[in-house]
Amino acid sequence: MSAQIIDGKAFAAKVRGQVGEHVAALKADHGITPGLAVVLVGEDPASQVYVRSKGKMTNEVGMKSVEHKLDEATSEADLLALIEQLNNDATIHGILVQLPLPKHLDEDLVINSINPAKDVDGFHISNVGLLGTGQKSMVPCTPLGCLMMLRDHHGSLSGMDAVVIGRSNIVGKPMAQLLLGDSCTVTIAHSRTKDLPEVVGRADIVVAAVGRPEMVPGEWIKKGATVIDVGINRIERDGKIKLVGDVDFASCSAVAGAITPVPGGVGPMTIACLLANTVTACCRANGLAEPEGLTA
Ligand code: NDP
């Protein structure tokens, strides 16, 4: 059997199209343009690439995009002052502080200084608590993208056995909460999990968010399971730099029912969901109906 490929690139383009339609309607019907501010501190090359591509796609869907590039040595007080200014700016509906921050800045303090209603990354402690208690929140973009693809593929996820490998605050834990919210029976695996192959082998849905290249082999996967590969790992193979996920695509796709590729799977959905969250935040801020299908 060869797994169906879940095309994250095409799905993300569809989500961006839906976001663009909502943006156009907000402008035409209410005179409101959703605005996203991205704050980048320092010169981290990967972060610069992400921020550029976020800005480009924000503009493409018709939203206002604001970038604040701050010097590596920016003080915590100056960064907090900028966030306060953005919190009070009525034209900005989403604020994203690109992580990681330079070591001298307290990430938790910085993230928790963002107005939770504008926290489009969903990392503010209030949003974490709201998600954990099944209330309306801003949902972290990567897990939201995974959930959208799973819902699109399966329809209802109710009663399915799901295993999330990885327990980070940005992917693993919110992913597990979302799957629980859709009535999956959820197991969270991590580096201390005993007999990971047996745990993974029970799952109808496997979400791998580990950060270890091609760690999950096809032998672990239950026949017909859906595999969502969050991992982005750069490896050298045959003298070339290659992007691979946390699952071994060749062997897993021979067993799975459906699988996301790397690249072109979860990755493109993350930015699409950031744009979706910004439109959602804008609608909530203005007391308007939220776009359907773009939130958890
Ligand atoms: P973290 O490093 O924060 O977390 C990794 C998790 O994997 C930890 O919970 C760790 O367990 C677990 N783990 C490590 N080794 C093993 C092992 N041998 N067996 C089982 N579990 C293990 O990573 P992130 O969650 O931030 O990211 C995970 C991956 O997803 C990375 O490749 C990252 O690049 C990618 N990513 C992709 C995004 C996208 O847009 N597609 C967005 C964000 C991340 P423990 O807690 O016990 O240490």
Side-chain angles (χ1 to χ4, degrees):
M1 189 174 74
S2 188
Q4 180 184 332
I5 306 297
I6 299 177
D7 185 345
K9 204 173 161 192
F11 197 82
K14 188 173 135 194
V15 170
R16 290 198 306 275
Q18 289 171 309
V19 170
E21 284 168 20
H22 285 289
V23 171
L26 280 167
K27 285 181 181 173
D29 301 343
H30 304 282
I32 300 166
T33 302
L36 173 65
V38 177
V39 180
L40 173 65
V41 187
E43 305 288 328
D44 180 65
S47 294
Q48 287 181 332
V49 172
Y50 291 139
V51 167
R52 248 198 319 276
S53 127
K54 283 168 187 170
K56 183 172 166 274
M57 291 195 183
T58 306
N59 285 323
E60 276 172 14
V61 294
M63 297 201 287
K64 171 178 164 175
S65 165
V66 180
E67 281 177 28
H68 290 272
K69 292 186 178 157
L70 306 183
D71 189 79
E72 177 91 25
T74 299
S75 70
E76 202 161 81
D78 284 349
L79 178 55
L80 293 178
L82 171 62
I83 291 171
E84 189 55 19
Q85 180 197 317
L86 296 169
N87 282 341
N88 294 324
D89 184 339
T91 69
I92 295 298
H93 306 94
I95 303 169
L96 180 147
V97 177
Q98 185 65 45
L99 302 178
L101 288 171
K103 293 273 177 291
H104 67 283
L105 300 169
D106 180 341
E107 271 185 12
D108 288 338
L109 179 73
V110 170
I111 296 303
N112 289 326
S113 72
I114 298 172
N115 175 351
K118 297 189 179 189
D119 167 39
V120 281
D121 251 344
F123 296 158
H124 190 289
I125 193 74
S126 297
N127 283 316
V128 176
L130 289 168
L131 179 62
T133 49
Q135 299 179 69
K136 194 183 272 190
S137 64
M138 295 309 303
V139 178
C141 303
T142 301
L144 178 59
C146 297
L147 183 75
M148 282 185 187
M149 290 193 286
L150 283 167
R151 282 179 177 170
D152 183 66
H153 183 73
H154 285 286
S156 170
L157 307 181
S158 181
M160 296 180 85
D161 281 318
V163 170
V164 180
I165 319 175
R167 56 175 164 178
S168 72
N169 290 335
I170 63 165
V171 188
K173 283 183 200 157
M175 186 73 246
Q177 295 285 7
L178 289 171
L179 291 166
L180 199 55
D182 271 27
S183 299
C184 291
T185 302
V186 184
T187 303
I188 307 178
H190 47 78
S191 67
R192 308 293 173 90
T193 297
K194 288 181 194 159
D195 202 354
L196 188 59
E198 189 274 328
V199 171
V200 171
R202 284 190 258 129
D204 305 309
I205 295 170
V206 179
V207 181
V210 187
R212 287 176 175 257
E214 301 172 328
M215 188 193 91
V216 179
E219 304 91 80
W220 293 9
I221 303 294
K222 182 163 91 177
K223 194 166 186 253
T226 299
V227 177
I228 304 290
D229 192 352
V230 181
I232 300 177
N233 309 288
R234 279 173 184 79
I235 60 159
E236 199 183 324
R237 185 169 289 159
D238 305 328
K240 287 184 190 154
I241 300 294
K242 200 173 175 251
L243 223 52
V244 298
D246 289 340
V247 310
D248 175 36
F249 186 81
S251 61
C252 286
S253 60
V255 190
I259 188 167
T260 58
V262 177
V266 175
M269 285 300 288
T270 298
I271 295 186
C273 287
L274 172 68
L275 304 176
N277 277 350
T278 305
V279 170
T280 300
C282 177
C283 291
R284 287 180 187 169
N286 288 283
L288 299 168
E290 290 172 23
E292 267 178 44
L294 296 182
T295 50

